[in-house]
Amino acid sequence: MERTAAAAYGGKMKFLGALIVIWLVIGGVAAWQRGYFGGAPGTCAEAGTIALTVVAGPLNYMGANPQISCELPQPSQ
């Protein structure tokens, strides 16, 4: 019985891993279609928007348009 349970658990984990990879690839395609990979991001807001678009995955095709706004702290004088 243990061998069957371990095989079932391993199968579920492989499926979950494949699902996560597919999700992120779809998000990467959405970011690419929006032109986010044309150059290096100039601000933390641009980098955050790219990352959030990739993580949002297929939600981008259902109307999600994630945007991040942030400011890095400036060094004291």
Side-chain angles (χ1 to χ4, degrees):
M1 277 278 203
E2 268 185 53
R3 191 166 204 196
T4 305
Y9 180 74
K12 289 178 185 177
M13 293 307 293
K14 285 182 182 179
F15 176 75
L16 183 61
L19 189 64
I20 291 171
V21 168
I22 291 168
W23 182 278
L24 293 175
V25 166
I26 292 171
V29 169
W32 174 73
Q33 288 177 336
R34 292 179 181 176
Y36 291 160
F37 297 129
T43 64
C44 71
E46 290 175 5
T49 298
I50 293 168
L52 192 57
T53 300
V54 172
V55 171
L59 298 177
N60 290 295
Y61 295 104
M62 292 190 278
N65 187 14
Q67 300 285 322
I68 298 284
S69 62
C70 63
E71 290 184 28
L72 294 174
Q74 299 297 318
S76 60
Q77 296 294 334

